[in-house]
Amino acid sequence: MKIRNAFLILKTVLLSIVLISCGGGDVNPKGTTFDIYIDFWNTSGKSPEIRFDELKTSREIKIDFTKNFEGQVDGPAGTKVIIDNFRIIDEYSNNYNIEAINAYEFKKETNDWKKDVEFTMSFSQSEDISVVLVLDRSESLGTDFETVKTYAIDFIEKIFTERKVVKMGIVDFSDTVNQFPLSTDKEALKNYVKSLKQGKFTALYNAMDAGIDMLQASKSQSRVLFTFTDGSDNMAPPAVNADYLLGKIKSDKNSYKITSFCIGLNGKGGVDKTVLTKLASGGSANFPETVKELKDVFTKFGRVISNVYNLEYIRNQQIISRSDPRKLKFEIITSK
């Protein structure tokens, strides 16, 4: 009897652990519904601004949470704020398509959320995209480099297939950094990757720096830096480091900011996960253990990068103080 009771207790504990891990914490238990929380103010009636509440917003939302999104007048009585470079990506690098958005506003009088049918948020996919593929070709990849090249070629094919307006550039690196400028010529890009040869060392930071420069010269609605490496930088001067690169991305003067994604293959080169996660600004980082797993990551990231949204929030010209902003919630209904 004691053994049976002990078994039942153990079974209950295990079940509780499973339920907590599936539905608790900051992982979205609904799977296909995500929430964003926003503060909205309009100090003059014609100068709307939005700021995301990062702590309340579903962690799968990928956006620049440090940014205020400024709006403009929309017609004689309205205003609108456009939120660009909006993606939904879960911890497994799965991408989500937006199907609908429900708007809510918090009402102090009732201390509750009320569904809003007058002030709404619409969504559309970005029309054009510029992508720079930063590709490691260091000798630490060994014979796996030829396989990595096939993944990169498949990635190029996927981006050009899924988007109507695409420009792509390549920055490849080992001890030297080479560039193929932004181009709409898919076959030329694929042939360039096929021709790449390996070299010594890992000039990761210099290569990412060159990729950022290439994107900052682009005016596309979505600009993406996509970096693959199997190691850590061992070539850059002290001034060119992770903080320098991150600062350069965030201080970009263009209206549409650069989104950064990173893949770190846990190979012989010694990937620095902390650094790559930090450099995945507005995007995400992934760390496959094997070259076989890497293929799936390239495929998922190809889908994520090409699927980027602009959200548009429309409201009237009511004056709202920045010190007492409207609290907004948007329920995003999605599909994979």
Side-chain angles (χ1 to χ4, degrees):
M1 180 62 70
K2 290 183 178 180
I3 294 175
R4 185 173 183 273
N5 288 340
F7 174 75
L8 290 173
I9 292 171
L10 178 60
K11 185 176 180 181
T12 302
V13 170
L14 288 174
L15 179 60
S16 300
I17 292 172
V18 169
L19 290 173
I20 292 171
S21 65
C22 289
D26 55 357
V27 177
N28 182 4
K30 300 179 184 178
T32 56
T33 303
F34 305 93
D35 294 328
I36 58 176
Y37 288 81
I38 287 174
D39 288 343
F40 175 93
W41 62 92
N42 192 347
T43 55
S44 71
K46 298 183 178 181
S47 55
E49 288 188 69
I50 277 175
R51 175 178 286 275
F52 279 81
D53 186 330
E54 183 177 6
L55 295 178
K56 291 183 179 179
T57 295
S58 299
R59 71 174 189 177
E60 294 87 354
I61 303 300
K62 304 301 178 183
I63 195 73
D64 184 356
F65 286 104
T66 65
K67 177 183 176 183
N68 281 359
F69 292 85
E70 299 177 359
Q72 59 193 23
V73 172
D74 184 42
T79 60
K80 65 179 179 182
V81 181
I82 295 176
I83 302 165
D84 56 75
N85 283 330
F86 186 93
R87 294 177 173 86
I88 305 175
I89 313 165
D90 68 17
E91 61 184 319
Y92 304 107
S93 298
N94 292 314
N95 173 72
Y96 291 80
N97 301 303
I98 299 177
E99 301 293 337
I101 302 179
N102 296 320
Y104 299 85
E105 183 171 332
F106 187 78
K107 298 296 183 180
K108 293 181 180 179
E109 311 85 68
T110 59
N111 195 35
D112 199 4
W113 293 98
K114 179 183 177 183
K115 191 168 186 178
D116 200 333
V117 295
E118 292 186 351
F119 306 145
T120 59
M121 182 173 283
S122 59
F123 60 94
S124 61
Q125 285 196 322
S126 295
E127 289 298 321
D128 69 300
I129 182 171
S130 286
V131 181
V132 172
L133 173 59
V134 180
L135 193 62
D136 192 340
R137 53 177 175 81
S138 58
E139 64 180 5
S140 59
L141 283 163
T143 57
D144 289 335
F145 181 58
E146 291 303 315
T147 303
V148 171
K149 284 163 63 173
T150 66
Y151 297 164
I153 290 168
D154 290 343
F155 171 81
I156 294 169
E157 180 68 36
K158 183 173 185 63
I159 295 294
F160 275 87
T161 299
E162 294 196 353
R163 302 304 298 161
K164 292 180 180 179
V165 183
V166 180
K167 292 183 287 291
M168 186 177 291
I170 298 170
V171 180
D172 56 284
F173 66 95
S174 56
D175 54 327
T176 58
V177 176
N178 301 316
Q179 299 182 41
F180 188 103
L182 287 170
S183 172
T184 58
D185 191 334
K186 177 181 69 174
E187 295 306 319
L189 288 159
K190 290 161 67 173
N191 288 331
Y192 181 79
V193 172
K194 289 177 185 177
S195 70
L196 293 179
K197 306 296 182 185
Q198 288 174 273
K200 295 179 178 294
F201 313 129
T202 307
L204 172 62
Y205 293 162
N206 287 334
M208 293 185 73
D209 194 20
I212 294 168
D213 286 340
M214 197 182 294
L215 287 170
Q216 286 183 338
S218 168
K219 302 301 180 184
S220 292
Q221 286 185 332
S222 178
R223 298 177 301 140
V224 177
L225 186 72
F226 179 47
T227 303
F228 164 76
T229 185
D230 78 326
S232 302
D233 183 274
N234 54 27
M235 288 285 292
V240 181
N241 52 39
D243 288 332
Y244 164 81
L245 295 172
L246 194 60
K248 192 169 181 177
I249 290 172
K250 291 186 175 296
S251 63
D252 187 1
K253 301 300 183 183
N254 287 285
S255 298
Y256 300 104
K257 303 305 180 185
I258 294 171
T259 303
S260 174
F261 294 84
C262 297
I263 298 179
L265 176 64
N266 286 321
K268 300 176 182 177
V271 168
D272 191 328
K273 293 184 178 181
T274 301
V275 166
L276 291 182
T277 300
K278 184 177 184 179
L279 287 172
S281 175
S284 62
N286 198 288
F287 304 98
E289 293 291 335
T290 66
V291 173
K292 185 177 180 180
E293 291 178 11
L294 178 64
K295 180 178 182 179
D296 184 49
V297 176
F298 259 93
T299 300
K300 286 182 176 181
F301 273 26
R303 189 179 305 116
V304 165
I305 287 170
S306 65
N307 195 17
V308 56
Y309 289 93
N310 291 330
L311 308 183
E312 184 177 82
Y313 180 62
I314 296 178
R315 195 179 178 101
N316 62 20
Q317 295 180 7
Q318 179 185 20
I319 293 176
I320 299 171
S321 168
R322 181 169 184 164
S323 62
D324 187 23
R326 293 289 193 269
K327 300 291 184 181
L328 310 176
K329 178 176 73 171
F330 299 94
E331 182 185 61
I332 303 179
I333 312 301
T334 70
S335 62
K336 285 187 181 180

